[in-house]
Amino acid sequence: MDQAALATGTPKGPWGSVAPAAPACSLTEVMSEQLARQLDEENNLLPSLSDPAADLLSEEVPDTASDLMLAQMLQLQFDRECDDQLRREERKFNGDSKVSISFENYRMVHPYEDSDSSEDEVDWQDTRHDPYKAEKPQATPRKGFTGKGKNITTKHDEETCGRKNTARMDNFAPEVLVGDGLGMDLKLSNQVFNSLKQHCYSEQRRSARLHEKKEHSTAEQAVDPRTRLLMYKMVNAGVLENINGCISTGKESVVFHADGGSLEEQPVPDEVVLKVFKTTLNEFKNRDRYIKDDYRFKDRFSKLNPRKIIRLWAEKEMHNLSRMKRAEIPCPEVVLLKKHILVMSFIGKDHVPAPKLKDAMLDSDDMKAAYCQVLHIMQQMYRECHLVHADLSEYNMLWHQGKVWLIDVSQSVEPTHPHGLEFLFRDCRNVSTFFQKRGVTEALGVYDLFNAVSGLNIPVGAEDEFMAQIVALEKRNEDHVQRRGKKSFPASLEDGGPPLKPDADD
Ligand code: ADP
Ligand code: MG
């Protein structure tokens, strides 16, 4: 390359000099230039459409530049219309009635809007006094009345009480919407107030219970992790093949269907149920009297914590079922007891539980046969097992293979229980009412049934007298037991106490 060519920067080829290249230009620049030109043209084509809109947006209504402001303004307009509508409804609702109801609380209150319906223009948020809130009623002085002579108003005055009750609604839980009772000068009678209060408390308790249930239970309902572990162990040990599903969830227990496995010492039926006594709920508290006065369990009861007491229920059901089985009363057969879970034979077939007597569709012959059988079972239970079912009804009797089967005997007690005869009377009432309603003409009335089961010949007369006799007998029996000592009927002594005779003690 020669010197001249180098100095000018122009390469000199062997065929002559090359013309200088045009300055480089990027693709982006080309594109943006094109776009600008295109937009310009479009603008020129549509001048009448774009201009006024731009003016409107940018100059004449500067507020609307902000989306938030725009939304607020629209909301305001909407609320105004709502308020107008409310006002019209309020006028229509009240008409010219003397008592009027205000819809003020439903109106929208906007922080920056001047209310056009309210007369007080105070910004009450900043004052101690809230004009929308009515004064609380004045408390009655300690002496219990105000005024003098004829004008005395006592604290029991209906109006004063009513207003006070309305004010006391303020104390209900925050989630209870009590409205503006004071503003309306509402006077709640004691009766209404008390039932509202009761309702609020029970709602609170219910929601607490739901919460508790959620925490302690699983999808299988009220089966806490300990129980699940126990159930799992039973399957693991081969006692059960499978736990299939829940048959029933009652207040005190959950019943599951399971396929039986095998146990070393005894055969396990193909189909079994697991009755899981609930450990989380306190319903058992109500039933303490069935167990703490039962001589078989009395001594142990006082020493146990609530969880263990629930195990006693399962144990009690097991003992009672065993006694009944020995007397050949149709009832589930006990397979296994593990803490608060009782495994027993399934009354039913192919996963379908036998219907309760209340649901069973029996013809009149079967119904009559069922009655005769129930009478016989009650007598057997009383005389041979020394037991009173204590929750006998069409709900705890199943109809299976053409006969009645008795279940749910965890609360069954001996006739010598301090309330045993009252429980028997209640059972008799349930049985008698059920069969009489189902058209069994042979069904004995409650008094005759009681005598037929117990062998006590209490004169049949007015219910009061009959009950008085029953209670007197229970008292006499209790004294008798006390004299013989509390431990006369230990749990292991399966044949329990002597059958009651009216004059046994005389
Ligand atoms: P609860 O104390 O909750 O009433 P139950 O012993 O009465 O407990 O059982 C509740 C329900 O479970 C019964 O009404 C019945 O339908 C079913 N059940 C209980 N035990 C058996 C069983 N051995 N075989 C078939 N179903 C049963
Ligand atoms: Mg039951």
Side-chain angles (χ1 to χ4, degrees):
M1 215 175 273
D2 65 10
Q3 285 297 315
L6 272 177
T8 55
T10 319
K12 196 169 180 238
W15 296 280
S17 55
V18 181
C25 173
S26 78
L27 179 66
T28 354
E29 276 176 66
V30 176
M31 293 299 290
S32 64
E33 219 173 292
Q34 264 181 4
L35 190 68
R37 218 175 305 133
Q38 203 179 324
L39 285 174
D40 223 26
E41 277 167 18
E42 278 172 15
N43 259 356
N44 291 337
L45 274 175
L46 301 162
S48 53
L49 282 180
S50 58
D51 285 354
D55 285 349
L56 194 73
L57 283 170
S58 60
E59 287 162 28
E60 281 177 30
V61 197
D63 281 351
T64 52
S66 149
D67 284 349
L68 175 68
M69 186 67 89
L70 191 66
Q72 281 173 335
M73 287 170 74
L74 285 171
Q75 182 69 47
L76 196 65
Q77 183 58 34
F78 179 76
D79 290 346
R80 266 195 206 130
E81 282 168 22
C82 272
D83 286 352
D84 285 345
Q85 177 65 21
L86 261 181
R87 230 167 281 134
R88 278 195 294 276
E89 277 178 28
E90 186 179 337
R91 268 200 298 274
K92 192 170 158 210
F93 186 85
N94 289 325
D96 35 52
S97 155
K98 280 181 192 158
V99 183
S100 63
I101 291 193
S102 161
F103 289 9
E104 192 68 23
N105 279 354
Y106 295 99
R107 293 190 60 237
M108 300 294 158
V109 181
H110 279 274
Y112 48 86
E113 192 199 16
D114 281 345
S115 160
D116 51 7
S117 76
S118 168
E119 276 134 39
D120 5 47
E121 300 273 354
V122 224
D123 183 2
W124 52 265
Q125 307 265 17
D126 290 341
T127 63
R128 283 285 187 91
H129 177 67
D130 173 355
Y132 292 98
K133 192 138 181 117
E135 296 286 350
K136 287 213 170 191
Q138 294 226 318
T140 322
R142 275 194 144 206
K143 58 186 177 184
F145 62 88
T146 52
K148 274 185 186 169
K150 272 189 188 171
N151 300 326
I152 277 188
T153 314
T154 70
K155 61 182 175 184
H156 302 298
D157 176 69
E158 213 171 297
E159 286 205 357
T160 322
C161 261
R163 287 197 186 104
K164 254 193 231 161
N165 284 341
T166 306
R168 282 160 70 194
M169 286 202 300
D170 262 2
N171 301 335
F172 288 171
E175 62 272 17
V176 181
L177 304 173
V178 292
D180 182 19
L182 287 174
M184 291 185 234
D185 198 20
L186 191 69
K187 291 154 204 126
L188 281 185
S189 71
N190 286 351
Q191 196 191 357
V192 172
F193 175 75
N194 283 335
S195 53
L196 275 176
K197 190 168 98 177
Q198 197 52 44
H199 174 75
C200 291
Y201 286 168
S202 51
E203 276 301 294
Q204 263 175 293
R205 275 203 306 272
R206 197 176 66 90
S207 77
R209 262 206 311 271
L210 282 181
H211 181 68
E212 181 198 85
K213 212 169 161 185
K214 235 186 255 164
E215 287 199 337
H216 292 276
S217 65
T218 66
E220 290 112 11
Q221 307 224 331
V223 174
D224 58 22
R226 279 162 183 254
T227 310
R228 233 178 315 146
L229 187 67
L230 274 177
M231 288 163 77
Y232 179 72
K233 279 186 179 170
M234 286 187 199
V235 177
N236 238 8
V239 182
L240 307 175
E241 279 283 324
N242 234 337
I243 298 177
N244 301 314
C246 177
I247 299 178
S248 134
T249 41
K251 265 195 293 185
E252 293 112 6
S253 71
V254 189
V255 178
F256 292 94
H257 179 274
D259 298 327
S262 57
L263 263 175
E264 271 174 23
E265 338 67 83
Q266 72 183 87
V268 177
D270 289 343
E271 292 186 82
V272 293
V273 298
L274 276 78
K275 183 165 177 179
V276 179
F277 289 78
K278 284 190 185 172
T279 53
T280 48
L281 297 180
N282 250 347
E283 316 280 347
F284 276 100
K285 270 260 150 273
N286 310 331
R287 307 184 76 187
D288 275 1
R289 68 180 185 148
Y290 289 89
I291 208 161
K292 75 173 191 289
D293 291 329
D294 191 320
Y295 301 108
R296 298 172 295 167
F297 298 87
K298 203 167 185 160
D299 286 350
R300 285 164 65 197
F301 182 86
S302 54
K303 299 184 194 99
L304 298 175
N305 66 31
R307 189 175 283 278
K308 296 215 170 122
I309 288 175
I310 284 158
R311 284 190 208 163
L312 267 196
W313 280 100
E315 194 185 320
K316 198 164 183 296
E317 176 134 25
M318 181 190 69
H319 283 304
N320 292 341
L321 282 176
S322 306
R323 273 195 197 186
M324 287 161 66
K325 204 83 227 165
R326 235 172 289 149
E328 295 182 359
I329 294 174
C331 66
E333 198 159 330
V334 175
V335 175
L336 182 75
L337 172 73
K338 260 273 177 271
K339 300 195 175 169
H340 57 287
I341 304 181
L342 183 63
V343 184
M344 53 187 151
S345 61
F346 175 66
I347 313 296
K349 201 168 184 307
D350 297 334
H351 296 216
V352 183
K356 299 183 182 88
L357 211 48
K358 91 172 191 16
D359 300 321
M361 310 289 283
L362 302 187
D363 59 25
S364 57
D365 283 351
D366 275 346
M367 200 46 102
K368 186 180 155 193
Y371 167 73
C372 295
Q373 203 201 329
V374 171
L375 172 61
H376 182 59
I377 289 178
M378 287 176 85
Q379 288 172 333
Q380 273 182 298
M381 267 192 88
Y382 190 89
R383 294 171 194 176
E384 293 172 41
C385 311
H386 306 299
L387 285 176
V388 170
H389 188 290
D391 193 14
L392 191 63
S393 73
E394 57 276 26
Y395 291 82
N396 284 329
M397 293 189 264
L398 306 183
W399 182 253
H400 181 54
Q401 294 172 339
K403 59 181 178 185
V404 176
W405 296 66
L406 240 55
I407 57 163
D408 201 2
V409 289
S410 59
Q411 70 293 313
S412 301
V413 294
E414 299 204 338
T416 49
H417 183 285
H419 301 287
L421 294 181
E422 289 161 79
F423 297 152
L424 177 64
F425 185 78
R426 200 176 54 192
D427 286 354
C428 290
R429 190 200 296 281
N430 292 341
V431 169
S432 173
T433 313
F434 173 74
F435 284 105
Q436 282 178 347
K437 267 196 195 154
R438 293 290 168 109
V440 179
T441 43
E442 292 78 3
L444 293 174
V446 53
Y447 305 113
D448 290 326
L449 183 60
F450 181 91
N451 282 338
V453 170
S454 64
L456 301 165
N457 285 315
I458 300 181
V460 176
E463 177 161 348
D464 287 356
E465 280 170 33
F466 203 88
M467 286 314 289
Q469 289 259 14
I470 286 180
V471 173
L473 269 174
E474 285 174 340
K475 177 86 186 63
R476 204 182 310 166
N477 185 56
E478 198 174 355
D479 293 344
H480 169 76
V481 171
Q482 297 266 329
R483 250 179 282 141
R484 284 179 57 185
K486 286 176 194 167
K487 287 183 186 161
S488 36
F489 312 115
S492 55
L493 190 66
E494 281 300 344
D495 58 0
L500 275 163
K501 287 271 179 294
D503 298 317
D505 202 33
D506 296 336

